[in-house]
Each structure stands twice: as structure tokens, then as C-alpha cells.
Amino acid sequence: MLNLPNCPRCNSEYTYEDGSLFICPECAHEWSMEAPAENTEQHPAVKDANGNVLNDGDTVSVIKDLKVKGSSLVVKVGTKVKNIRLVEGDHDIDCKIDGIGAMQLKSAFVKKS
């Protein structure tokens, strides 16, 4: 069996080789051994409540009732949120929720669908 390196971004051991590139199936990071290692501290992997790595464009479900600050609206458990966008900060998911609008969520309160 080949001894392939772990992913430099999420440290996954399931990397595979495609031509001159190594690819991580968990976080979709691609790198080559000739290229200088990029600073992985800038882009840490964002994980959901179950530990699954989230990517831009994923669909997630809310796992807890969430009150919307400044209004009487509540995002109910099981609400599907499509086409998320990952951002930096405390609330690391940017999205639009039907009936509520644009908002930011914490990845700890969602699970990947």
C-alpha cells in the first residue's frame, strides 16, 4: 500500500493521488508535494455538530430551535438551509433561510444533510 501524506488542511488520512496532485476527499483540498505548504492556520476546516467537514454550497439542517436576535422569529429544528457559504468569525456560516432571510449561523448548531 502507498504511504500517502495526511491532508495539510484537515489532517485526514484518506488522501489519494491524481497525477501530480494529492487530493483530500473530506475537505476537497488539493496540493502538490513540490509546492510550498500553505499556512493551514488561515483556513481551518469548519465542522458541523457531528464533526463532518462543511464546504461552500452544502445543505445543512438546524439541530436546535434558534431565536433570531431583534425579532420574534424562530428557526425551528429540522429547517433545511441550502447553499451555505463559509465565512470567518464566530458565526461561520452565511446563508438565506426561507421565510426569514439572510443570516449567519454557528456551525455547532447544524448538521450536514
Side-chain angles (χ1 to χ4, degrees), residues 3-110:
N3 190 11
L4 298 174
N6 287 356
C7 175
R9 184 170 286 165
C10 71
N11 203 28
S12 170
E13 61 185 22
Y14 302 112
T15 58
Y16 62 92
E17 195 172 6
D18 186 20
S20 65
L21 293 176
F22 292 104
I23 301 173
C24 175
E26 292 187 20
C27 70
H29 179 61
E30 297 180 1
W31 75 99
S32 68
M33 293 308 285
E34 294 82 33
E38 64 181 59
N39 187 357
T40 57
E41 291 300 315
Q42 285 184 328
H43 305 289
V46 177
K47 296 184 178 183
D48 69 359
N50 296 331
N52 298 318
V53 177
L54 297 174
N55 298 307
D56 285 343
D58 282 347
T59 298
V60 295
S61 297
V62 177
I63 62 169
K64 176 182 174 182
D65 281 349
L66 302 173
K67 294 180 182 177
V68 179
K69 236 181 198 178
S71 77
S72 61
L73 298 174
V74 176
V75 179
K76 295 289 188 178
V77 171
T79 301
K80 295 257 187 208
V81 181
K82 297 179 184 177
N83 200 20
I84 65 169
R85 189 170 56 107
L86 302 178
V87 295
E88 291 192 24
D90 187 31
H91 292 73
D92 43 13
I93 297 174
D94 206 11
C95 61
K96 288 184 182 177
I97 298 178
D98 292 339
I100 295 176
M103 66 183 307
Q104 291 186 327
L105 300 172
K106 290 186 178 185
S107 58
F109 298 120
V110 300

